[in-house]
Amino acid sequence: MKHLIYSLNNIWTIVIFLAFVIVGLLLIFPLYNIFVASFLDNETGVFTLQNYTNILGRRYYRTAIYNSVIVGLSSMVGALIIGIPLAFFTSRYNIKGKSLISTLAILALVSPPFIGAYAWIMMLGSNGWLRLGLESMGISMPTIYGPLGIILVFSLKFYPFVFLLTAGAIRTINVSLEEAAESLGCRPFSKFMRVTLPIIFPAVSTGALLAFVLSLADFGTPSIIGRNFRVLSTLAYNLFTSEMGGNPGLASTVSILLILVSLIFVYIQRRLIRKKDYGSDMLRRPEVKQLSRVSSIPVHALCYLIVFLSSLPSLVVIYNSFRKTSGPVFKSGFGLDSYRRIINDVPDAIFNSFVFSISAVLMIVALGTLIGYTVARKPSILTGFLDSLLMIPYIVPGVVLGLGFIVSFNSKPVVLVGTATIIILVIFVRRLPYSVRSSVSILKQISLGVEEAAISLGASPAKTFLKVTLPLMMPGVFAGAMMAFITAINELSSSIILYVGGTVTMPVRIYLSVLDGEFGTAAALSSILLAATGVAVFAIIHITESDEGVFL
Amino acid sequence: MPPFQQHSRMSTVQLNNLNKKYSDVEALKQFSLEIQSGELFTLLGPSGCGKTTLLRTIAGFNRQDSGTINIDGIGIDNLPAFRRDIGMVFQDYAIFPHMSVGDNIAFGLRNRDVSRQEIKSRVADALETVQLSGLEKRMPNELSGGQQQRVGLARAMVIQPKILLMDEPLSNLDAKLRIELREDIRKIQKKLGTTTIYVTHDQEEALVISDRLCIMRSGQMVQVGTPWEIYKKPADHFVASFVGKMNFFPWPFAGLDFHDLKVPTVIEDLPAKTNVGNESEKLIVGIRPEDVFISNSTAKVKSQVIHLKGTIKNISFSGREAQIHVKLIDGNQLVAHITRPGERLLDEIGKTVQLELPHKSIMFFNNKSGLRR
């Protein structure tokens, strides 16, 4: 018995040790290799600054940096413009169907990112039905291709970050502050700009930062609709996989720059919100106000237009998946042609996607829960450090980590390139933080007193963890697992670099199909992804009763 | 020299038949009141009595269902809060956390067309008035709760509003600060002369700070008067028990053994108004603990005093005073309040004593309506 208790204390040490090994091997080591590679000459392997001078010196490459930042910032502004009003109206006024609105926003957020690009091609591509339809009415629309299209897709894709975070903050602001402004003669709009917005700035800017970082990291969208518009993520990919022989040195340099740009913006945001935590325990929460009849209609219209536009890609994809096709061409009428085709032609992609994601999720849950427990319950310098290391996957784009894996696991003793393992591992390490974070956040809600009570009643620490703590953690663990699953099954940017013929996944297949003009196949595969995603979202909402924060 | 005296505005407030209903709770019922210019008027009542609703309705944060609010005879019912020109001090201070003390105070002035120069001098004056000179550049999180509320006060009065509303401004402060700040609030209010409506549930605070106060219960006014009137002449059982402490016991037409009401205590000796003692009307006697005197059980009887015998059950000592709980023979308990309690006080528990209730201190309340006779 005594031995067991002793060994349990050791278990947490082992967990911490294991976590450091894994993070070190799967995160730090690949990134380190990328970093090193960016300073090496491809041919000779000697130290050089050539790659950096090349990238920064040539206009061709510099444009990509510039484009990435512009697209990121514009998408961020777009997400703010869409997300803030939606958050404000739905949290302050009696908007009908609020939960529908936030569910649609959540679905838009977690749906596969490249679906947006694909669907907008169907609508506003050269032969897009919306564009042609409008043209026949005499309204000429630009095509979706190019920077504006990317910004549109990103804004509609990432606004839910701003929306969910802002709504949470607006709902919990101390309403006395707004009333004070009012009693001091401040008009409603000026009150919002001068008092409400500055106070919720930490939440809003976090949403904005997420929109920026993810726009910067996204590979699928600019790759599908960017055409000749280069951004850093597509540049890194192209440099690496170029048909004229990849240039790992330059690709690594671009990757480092990509991380650097993200880090700069993370740093700026952190600086801006420093000392701006205006949380207060003396809260009077704002009331939900009735809209006047006159303003009710336009406000409802605006809210529903936003979530409709952001759900439109999914609708288009599902609709297209049921259209009759002949080869790659859509015909009139409905049928299951596309589904038949994917089952015949690419069953391996479907199979791989589920196997890879589920394997990764099982590993994520097992380790993530334990790490979460140590971070929340055994605070120390080590666990604190571990916690910050686990922020890295949020900043490192999938393309970059994929490159890192190739560079790191391509030579003896560990040759993983081309295996399923490498894809599972990259998913595992990228999505591990979801499980850790949801475990930590649920543990914050579980009183330490419950565990202490169990121990004081004679339960051993092991028994306490298994019989008391773990069952109480289940909702959080499950929600984290589902979020990990959603992001795992929709993962494109790292697998596009790591896949080989036998390890193709649905997102990769969709990407390739879209490039090949196989829109029916892409639609059917995307619909399967959407269905899997929808089921997971449904499970989170209805089984765990988690709040919307879990989706961020 | 009081900084704002030459600018101060004195306004009267009339509330006419205000009604406000929240789902099924009537927060205000036919509420009418007139507040004189320049007075510090307090709304006092237990939580849920509608006092905060009333204040927020005056401020314009919620709208009454019916009735009107006039300031200086002019209806303000259709003005939104930001155009009412009413200053407000909040329970949770509501200091803008992202602005310095100076910016907080200047906030309202910047919404009005006040020149930069004037803003500067008025902010400085306001800071001086609330004794925070020199803290202009501080951020709110560097201030104590008491200092924050001083900023709240300065911010509300610097705009020289027609009226000033204070919503339990001291309830989040600790006891010592509360006393300090309430005296300052009264001083400043008298200096500026701004008509002020003050909400509190703390009866002692209300008595100390107010020129007049209104006791509210379930959305209705129970009594309006000066602190002295409210304390000494409570309109009914509720006011008497809510403001200050009060002993109540049924008037012993039924029950109490008359032998314990020693001579010369007979009904005819009591104040004339109690003579209405018609048989069917049951009365309740009320007397403040500080009006109950304790004497030796063998002490001489006095005229114009009711004498009751009882046993000391408990004594609670709170420093400058002590509450003596005495159980009467009929089982009722009375509390006597003595100042400067002696050292051997606790030895007295269990002793039989005589309580002396001077006629002039006794109040009578109708058992049914609760009204004072």
Side-chain angles (χ1 to χ4, degrees):
Chain A
M1 191 67 210
K2 201 174 178 185
H3 181 73
L4 182 70
I5 295 170
Y6 186 70
S7 67
L8 189 92
N9 281 332
N10 275 345
I11 283 177
W12 298 124
T13 318
I14 293 168
V15 167
I16 295 171
F17 177 74
L18 199 65
F20 273 108
V21 169
I22 286 171
V23 168
L25 213 59
L26 298 182
L27 210 52
I28 310 298
F29 181 58
L31 291 177
Y32 170 78
N33 283 333
I34 290 257
F35 184 72
V36 169
S38 74
F39 288 104
L40 294 184
D41 188 286
N42 286 328
E43 318 275 285
T44 60
V46 294
F47 175 85
T48 174
L49 286 175
Q50 189 68 44
N51 295 323
Y52 285 89
T53 51
N54 263 348
I55 297 281
L56 299 173
R58 288 200 206 153
R59 200 160 163 197
Y60 178 87
Y61 297 126
R62 268 209 318 266
T63 323
I65 304 177
Y66 174 78
N67 286 349
S68 269
V69 173
I70 290 293
V71 163
L73 285 177
S74 310
S75 308
M76 179 186 91
V77 170
L80 287 169
I81 291 173
I82 300 171
I84 292 179
L86 186 65
F88 179 75
F89 289 127
T90 54
S91 39
R92 286 299 172 82
Y93 294 101
N94 60 327
I95 304 292
K96 294 202 173 59
K98 273 182 199 176
S99 55
L100 176 67
I101 289 177
S102 56
T103 307
L104 288 176
I106 287 166
L107 281 172
L109 179 66
V110 298
S111 68
F114 40 87
I115 279 188
Y118 161 78
W120 284 102
I121 289 180
M122 301 305 296
M123 291 184 278
L124 291 179
S126 310
N127 296 313
W129 53 265
L130 187 59
R131 209 174 82 86
L132 296 182
L134 288 172
E135 210 147 78
S136 69
M137 287 157 60
I139 306 168
S140 93
M141 279 290 277
T143 64
I144 194 71
Y145 298 108
L148 285 178
I150 301 176
I151 292 166
L152 173 79
V153 172
F154 280 162
S155 301
L156 283 171
K157 169 75 193 166
F158 296 127
Y159 82 88
F161 284 122
V162 176
F163 162 61
L164 293 175
L165 281 160
T166 306
I170 286 186
R171 271 198 297 270
T172 54
I173 192 177
N174 186 354
V175 73
S176 292
L177 296 169
E178 296 188 350
E179 287 174 355
E182 250 176 281
S183 78
L184 293 166
C186 208
R187 288 166 171 281
F189 183 71
S190 134
K191 173 183 75 178
F192 184 78
M193 298 305 284
R194 289 168 62 195
V195 175
T196 314
L197 209 49
I199 288 167
I200 60 173
F201 179 77
V204 176
S205 64
T206 303
L209 179 71
L210 283 166
F212 177 84
V213 168
L214 290 166
S215 302
L216 201 67
D218 192 87
F219 166 76
T221 306
S223 175
I224 292 172
I225 59 173
R227 293 248 165 118
N228 296 322
F229 186 76
R230 281 182 307 282
V231 292
L232 287 174
S233 59
T234 52
L235 182 62
Y237 174 80
N238 291 333
L239 282 171
F240 192 77
T241 58
S242 162
E243 281 165 16
M244 304 170 353
N247 186 338
L250 275 186
S252 300
T253 309
V254 171
S255 299
I256 294 298
L257 289 175
L258 201 47
I259 295 176
L260 210 61
V261 174
S262 289
L263 277 179
I264 289 170
F265 279 85
V266 169
Y267 176 76
I268 292 174
Q269 195 257 356
R270 286 288 131 96
R271 272 302 289 257
L272 288 177
I273 65 168
R274 211 172 41 157
K275 291 188 192 162
K276 289 201 177 119
D277 182 11
Y278 303 132
S280 151
D281 10 313
M282 305 178 286
L283 282 187
R284 274 189 39 239
R285 304 227 188 281
E287 294 165 19
V288 174
K289 289 189 196 129
Q290 299 287 315
L291 278 168
S292 71
R293 281 209 187 144
V294 186
S295 50
S296 179
I297 294 168
V299 169
H300 273 89
L302 175 73
C303 293
Y304 277 97
L305 178 69
I306 291 172
V307 288
F308 172 73
L309 278 180
S310 65
S311 318
L312 196 53
S314 305
L315 298 176
V316 168
V317 160
I318 295 168
Y319 170 81
N320 279 338
S321 75
F322 289 110
R323 282 168 73 186
K324 264 193 183 342
T325 59
S326 147
V329 187
F330 285 119
K331 294 196 301 186
S332 61
F334 294 98
L336 294 174
D337 302 352
S338 298
Y339 288 97
R340 236 172 266 129
R341 274 193 70 185
I342 58 168
I343 288 170
N344 288 330
D345 297 355
V346 288
D348 50 336
I350 305 173
F351 178 80
N352 284 345
S353 268
F354 280 98
V355 171
F356 295 173
S357 323
I358 291 171
S359 319
V361 166
L362 290 177
M363 289 161 59
I364 287 168
V365 170
L367 189 69
T369 308
L370 294 176
I371 296 180
Y373 188 87
T374 61
V375 168
R377 289 291 198 249
K378 316 270 171 199
S380 69
I381 297 172
L382 276 184
T383 54
F385 183 51
L386 187 60
D387 196 30
S388 11
L389 284 182
L390 285 169
M391 294 298 291
I392 294 176
Y394 289 107
I395 301 164
V396 176
V399 171
V400 174
L401 201 59
L403 286 178
F405 267 53
I406 290 214
V407 174
S408 307
F409 305 118
N410 200 17
S411 54
K412 287 184 176 175
V414 197
V415 183
L416 291 177
V417 173
T419 63
T421 312
I422 196 167
I423 296 185
I424 295 173
L425 284 180
V426 80
I427 296 174
F428 164 71
V429 76
R430 287 195 76 198
R431 306 311 177 190
L432 181 62
Y434 277 107
S435 175
V436 174
R437 212 175 46 158
S438 63
S439 295
V440 169
S441 69
I442 193 128
L443 278 166
K444 279 184 186 151
Q445 296 166 37
I446 301 170
S447 151
L448 198 56
V450 177
E451 286 169 61
E452 288 166 350
I455 288 175
S456 78
L457 292 168
S460 68
K463 194 171 178 189
T464 303
F465 179 73
L466 291 174
K467 297 271 174 183
V468 177
T469 316
L470 200 55
L472 287 171
M473 284 174 72
M474 275 332 278
V477 170
F478 182 77
M482 286 295 118
M483 274 312 289
F485 174 75
I486 290 171
T487 49
I489 200 162
N490 293 324
E491 169 76 35
L492 170 68
S493 54
S494 61
S495 16
I496 191 77
I497 293 213
L498 295 170
Y499 87 98
V500 292
T503 59
V504 73
T505 60
M506 282 196 274
V508 172
R509 192 69 254 168
I510 294 166
Y511 173 77
L512 298 173
S513 301
V514 170
L515 291 188
D516 293 346
E518 297 259 9
F519 289 120
T521 314
L525 285 169
S526 298
S527 300
I528 293 178
L529 284 182
L530 278 173
T533 304
V535 168
V537 168
F538 182 86
I540 294 177
I541 292 175
H542 289 271
I543 296 177
T544 71
E545 290 169 4
S546 307
D547 62 15
E548 291 149 359
V550 72
F551 296 105
L552 296 174
Chain B
M1 175 64 201
F4 301 121
Q5 204 161 51
Q6 65 270 40
H7 304 291
S8 75
R9 295 152 72 176
M10 293 188 162
S11 300
T12 58
V13 182
Q14 293 109 27
L15 311 175
N16 309 312
N17 299 318
L18 291 178
N19 284 294
K20 175 77 188 174
K21 216 171 161 180
Y22 285 115
S23 54
D24 52 341
V25 183
E26 280 186 274
L28 292 174
K29 278 182 249 175
Q30 287 298 107
F31 197 97
S32 297
L33 186 64
E34 182 153 348
I35 294 157
Q36 311 299 324
S37 74
E39 78 176 328
L40 202 168
F41 190 92
T42 296
L43 303 170
L44 173 66
S47 56
C49 72
K51 57 191 191 298
T52 294
T53 301
L54 179 57
L55 199 74
R56 296 170 52 77
T57 307
I58 298 172
F61 297 137
N62 42 33
R63 179 112 165 85
Q64 69 269 28
D65 300 333
S66 63
T68 57
I69 302 171
N70 294 345
I71 294 184
D72 294 332
I74 300 161
I76 59 163
D77 307 292
N78 293 321
L79 289 179
F82 66 91
R83 292 178 57 194
R84 288 198 177 185
D85 201 8
I86 291 175
M88 180 136 174
V89 178
F90 293 81
Q91 181 174 7
D92 52 18
Y93 324 138
I95 301 306
F96 304 128
H98 57 299
M99 296 181 195
S100 68
V101 167
D103 286 337
N104 260 284
I105 298 174
F107 187 90
L109 296 174
R110 292 195 178 125
N111 292 321
R112 293 161 167 77
D113 294 324
V114 181
S115 73
R116 215 171 255 238
Q117 206 63 48
E118 196 184 337
I119 288 179
K120 215 175 156 193
S121 72
R122 277 168 74 173
V123 167
D125 283 351
L127 277 168
E128 194 190 324
T129 306
V130 297
Q131 299 165 33
L132 290 180
S133 296
L135 299 189
E136 201 173 335
K137 296 267 185 290
R138 292 275 185 92
M139 290 306 282
N141 59 8
E142 301 169 85
L143 301 182
S144 71
Q147 288 174 320
Q148 289 196 38
Q149 195 55 297
R150 283 172 191 273
V151 175
L153 186 61
R155 184 180 67 179
M157 70 189 196
V158 77
I159 59 172
Q160 295 159 10
K162 287 195 190 119
I163 54 173
L164 197 54
L165 306 179
M166 300 201 190
D167 184 12
E168 309 213 17
L170 306 179
S171 65
N172 281 324
L173 299 174
D174 62 49
K176 214 166 180 177
L177 264 177
R178 206 151 40 198
I179 291 171
E180 190 187 308
L181 194 51
R182 82 184 178 204
E183 277 157 14
D184 285 351
I185 287 179
R186 172 142 182 103
K187 247 187 269 168
I188 292 167
Q189 193 272 338
K190 285 297 137 213
K191 204 153 82 175
L192 303 181
T194 312
T195 308
T196 300
I197 306 178
Y198 189 102
V199 160
T200 181
H201 64 266
D202 180 333
Q203 42 92 16
E204 188 191 321
E205 186 178 307
L207 293 178
V208 171
I209 210 166
S210 319
D211 293 316
R212 285 197 305 151
L213 56 160
C214 164
I215 312 294
M216 289 180 70
R217 179 171 61 165
S218 332
Q220 284 174 310
M221 173 200 299
V222 186
Q223 187 177 6
V224 177
T226 63
W228 195 88
E229 285 166 344
I230 298 286
Y231 191 78
K232 293 291 187 185
K233 299 178 172 181
D236 66 6
H237 185 277
F238 169 76
V239 176
S241 60
F242 189 73
V243 181
K245 289 200 171 112
M246 183 77 98
N247 289 300
F248 292 105
F249 57 96
W251 180 237
F253 271 120
L256 190 74
D257 189 345
F258 259 85
H259 298 297
D260 291 311
L261 288 168
K262 285 193 176 163
V263 199
T265 306
V266 285
I267 303 308
E268 284 77 5
D269 289 344
L270 287 171
K273 55 191 167 185
T274 65
N275 275 343
V276 228
N278 88 51
E279 292 280 330
S280 63
E281 189 185 34
K282 293 206 172 137
L283 293 178
I284 290 179
V285 182
I287 185 162
R288 302 266 181 214
E290 67 267 25
D291 292 330
V292 176
F293 298 94
I294 298 184
S295 60
N296 232 313
S297 57
T298 54
K300 269 191 188 164
V301 295
K302 299 166 185 156
S303 65
Q304 301 286 303
V305 170
I306 299 179
H307 295 76
L308 300 171
K309 229 174 225 168
T311 321
I312 297 183
K313 279 287 160 200
N314 189 24
I315 296 173
S316 41
F317 171 69
S318 62
R320 74 192 146 120
E321 57 206 28
Q323 318 275 351
I324 319 285
H325 299 254
V326 178
K327 192 173 184 183
L328 302 181
I329 287 169
D330 69 334
N332 280 312
Q333 279 223 16
L334 241 66
V335 178
H337 193 126
I338 60 167
T339 51
R340 308 166 71 99
E343 195 186 346
R344 311 287 306 274
L345 192 69
L346 290 178
D347 298 345
E348 310 279 311
I349 292 176
K351 248 176 94 174
T352 305
V353 289
Q354 180 164 272
L355 296 180
E356 300 175 5
L357 286 49
H359 292 174
K360 63 172 169 46
S361 311
I362 288 177
M363 303 174 203
F364 287 93
F365 300 92
N366 184 300
N367 188 24
K368 271 217 180 92
S369 65
L371 290 174
R372 190 165 62 91
R373 302 197 47 88

